[in-house]
Each structure stands twice: as C-alpha cells, then as structure tokens.
Amino acid sequence: MLPTTASERMLSRGLLDVLIRAGLITILAISCYQVFYPFLNLMLWALILAVTFYPLHGMLKNRLGLRDGYVATLIVLVSVGLLMVPVYLLGVSMAESVQGALELIKGGEWHIPAPNESIAGWPLIGQPLYDFWQQASADLTSLLKTLMPHLRGVGLTLLGKLAGVGAGFLLFIAALIVAGLLMAYGANGTRSAVQIATRISGPDRGPQIAQLCTATIRAVAQGVVGIAFIQMLLVGVGFVVMGIPGAGLLALVVLLLGIMQLPVLLITIPVIGFVLATEGATVGAIIFSIYIFVAGMSDNILKPMLLGRGVNVPMPVVLIGALGGMVTSGIIGLFIGPVILAVGYMLFWHWVEDQPKDTTADDETTA
C-alpha cells in the first residue's frame, strides 16, 4: 500500500535514504576489509609489538635525548640483531640434524635392537608392535622402502610447516619494522586510540577502555609470548652447545609449550635423561643438566616480573587463543591469538562489571 499523506511520504523517503546510506557504508566497509585483509596479520602483529615496546621507547628517549624516529630505529635494529644470532644457530642445528639422520640411514649404520619377546603378550597392540619392531631390527632398509610413500607425505607436511615457520619469521621482521614506524608516531597513535574508544564508548569510558586494551596487550605479550621466547632462547642455546640431535626442532617445541602455558619440563627432563644416559655423569653433562633444568623453570621467575601488572588473564583463555590462532592463521596466529582473545576477554568482563547503579534501591533506602 502506497503512502497517502505527506508525512507518510516524507517518512518513507527518509527510511529509504537511511537504507541506501547503510547499504553504501556496508559495501564500502566490506571493500576496505577485502583490500586490507592480506595485511591484517602484519598490522596486528606490528600493533602488538609497538604497544609492547613503547614504554622502552619512552625510557630510551628520555635517557638518550634522541628523536622518536631515531629511538624507534635503534630498537628495531637491536631487536633484529638479537634475533638473528639464536635463530641462525637453531637453523644450522636443525639442518645438521636432518642431514646427519639422512646420512645415517643411507649408510646403513643405524641398527635397531631386537624387541623383547614379552612385548608380543601386550593386549591389543602387542603382536603388531612386536612384528613391526622385529622387521625394523632385521631389515630396516626394506621396511623404509615399504613406508616410503607414507613417509613422503609426512615429510612434505613437515617441510610445509617449516616453510610456514620461516614465513612467520619474515613476517615478524616486517612487523617489527612497521612497529618502529608506529612508535615513531606514538604520541599521535595514543591520541587516536583514545579518540576512537571515546567515539565508541563515550567520553567517560573511552579512555578507560583504551588503557585496558593497552595493559592487556602488554601483559600477554610480555608475560606469555615474551617469556616463551626467552625460554626458547635459553633452552635452545643449551641444546646447540651440547650438540643435542634436533636441537632446533626441540627449541621450537619449547616455544610452543611456553605459549600454550604447558611446562617446558616435558622436553627438558627427557633431554637431560638422554644426555646422562649417553654421556654419563661427566662434569659437562652435570652442568648441562643443571642449566637446562633451571632454564626450563625460568618461567616461574619471569612471570611475576612480566605477567599480570593489574591484568588477570586465565590460562585457558591463553591456551584457546594460541590453539585457535594457530589453526586459523598458522604459526603467526600462535602469537597473535592469545593477545586478541585476551583483549576480548578483558573487554567483555569490563562491560559485565560496568553495571549502572540501581537508583530505585537507593531511593527506597533514602525514604
């Protein structure tokens, strides 16, 4: 039914104008998102790094008396330099481990001992495991030829994961450079963040929300990702110096366990047992064991120093963020996921706890 009166026609025309504007804004927002999507992880990672390093930027600026751009450049160069040495050592160790394993298998010098006959009596898996172990012990070459089609697929998958790790490292370097640019204009960025939060939540809650997001990003980045990275460096350097097979891969597993808030002792204790079993109770083995054990427990010392600071993020939130980020965005999502989910978690509870006062109850009390 068509509008008959002038007021109805004006109302219909106004509603049509609103719908057209909303549609155009939606199309523009979707188009901007599609254009920006390839750089989303890069910019999120850069923003996290910029927010995390900005207090250090301010401290160095006050002490050195340099401009913002020079201080940001100094932080980026020093960070890249500190990253390249351990990453290079871990990469070389990983390549040598893979090459050594391939040469050992090709040379036929690797011998698997025969299984114990009691294994065949294990329920369900005993006999198949015994037969497989016996075949590997008697003729490893033919067994590898039989498994080669399956191993090829697993190898390609592992190579793809390693390529993803390399791409993630390059993305991290690029994000670090972008973070330097953001820190160089940190004052303007802080004002912009407060203005955006104020526009969304009002002048009273906007600055509080901006401060909450900043504190959450720094707490999770320093207390979760930062501690896990420090543990990886400490443990990984020890593995490389001791010549542990697959030291680079084990160091990456240490990093994953640290981000997922799982104990690094799951890796360090078996490695200590392996060293003591192969090297014996030598001075070097004992020193290595003590160092690796302390490095695996270093998160208990670092967490009170770096984690928290007024922000309490439960461990399941960090774990879900790490796993979900890794599933959706690969290795880089493992770092970004916990930060994003922690920010959302803190904003949600800030909204839940920000309840308006019950004025009716106050009036009844007064009366």
Side-chain angles (χ1 to χ4, degrees), residues 2 40 52 67 78 80 99 106 127 130 144 164 172 178 208 223 253 265 272 274 289 298 300 321 328 335 355:
L2 297 176
L40 182 60
T52 303
R67 295 182 180 179
V78 172
V80 172
Q99 184 178 0
K106 290 180 180 180
Q127 189 62 43
Y130 178 82
L144 290 177
F172 177 81
V178 176
Q208 298 178 3
V253 176
L265 296 177
I272 291 173
F274 169 79
S289 301
S298 60
N300 296 319
T328 56
F335 302 93
Q355 298 282 351

Side-chain angles (χ1 to χ4, degrees), residues 10 23 27 37 43 48 51 80 138 176 189-190 193 198 207 230-231 250 276 301 320 322 355 358-359 362:
M10 291 180 62
I27 293 173
Y37 179 76
M43 295 306 298
I48 292 171
V51 172
V80 172
L176 192 58
T190 302
T198 302
I230 292 174
Q231 274 191 299
L250 292 176
L276 293 177
I301 301 174
I320 294 173
Q355 298 282 351
D358 190 355
T359 56
D362 295 339

Side-chain angles (χ1 to χ4, degrees), residues 264-275:
V264 178
L265 296 177
L266 295 173
I267 298 297
T268 57
I269 289 181
V271 172
I272 291 173
F274 169 79
V275 170

Side-chain angles (χ1 to χ4, degrees), residues 225-309:
V225 180
I227 291 176
F229 194 79
I230 292 174
Q231 274 191 299
M232 182 199 72
L233 294 180
L234 294 175
V235 175
V237 169
F239 287 171
V240 171
V241 172
M242 195 63 186
I244 302 298
L249 183 60
L250 292 176
L252 289 178
V253 176
V254 168
L255 178 63
L256 300 181
L257 292 177
I259 292 177
M260 292 186 291
Q261 299 295 285
L262 298 177
V264 178
L265 296 177
L266 295 173
I267 298 297
T268 57
I269 289 181
V271 172
I272 291 173
F274 169 79
V275 170
L276 293 177
T278 55
E279 301 289 336
T282 62
V283 177
I286 293 175
I287 294 176
F288 169 80
S289 301
I290 296 174
Y291 169 78
I292 289 299
F293 183 80
V294 173
M297 297 288 292
S298 60
D299 58 330
N300 296 319
I301 301 174
L302 295 173
K303 280 182 179 179
M305 298 170 56
L306 300 178
L307 185 59
R309 306 197 179 199

Side-chain angles (χ1 to χ4, degrees), residues 118-194:
S118 61
I119 296 178
W122 293 359
L124 297 179
I125 64 171
Q127 189 62 43
L129 178 60
Y130 178 82
D131 295 338
F132 181 82
W133 195 339
Q134 183 66 33
Q135 184 181 1
S137 176
D139 191 1
L140 181 60
T141 304
S142 62
L143 179 62
L144 290 177
K145 290 181 180 179
T146 304
L147 297 177
M148 191 57 67
H150 305 286
L151 295 177
R152 185 180 293 109
V154 175
L156 291 176
T157 302
L158 291 177
L159 289 177
K161 296 298 182 181
L162 292 177
V165 172
F169 177 73
L170 294 178
L171 183 62
F172 177 81
I173 298 297
L176 192 58
I177 296 174
V178 176
L181 297 176
L182 295 177
M183 286 187 290
Y185 299 94
N188 295 331
T190 302
R191 286 194 297 268
S192 300
V194 173

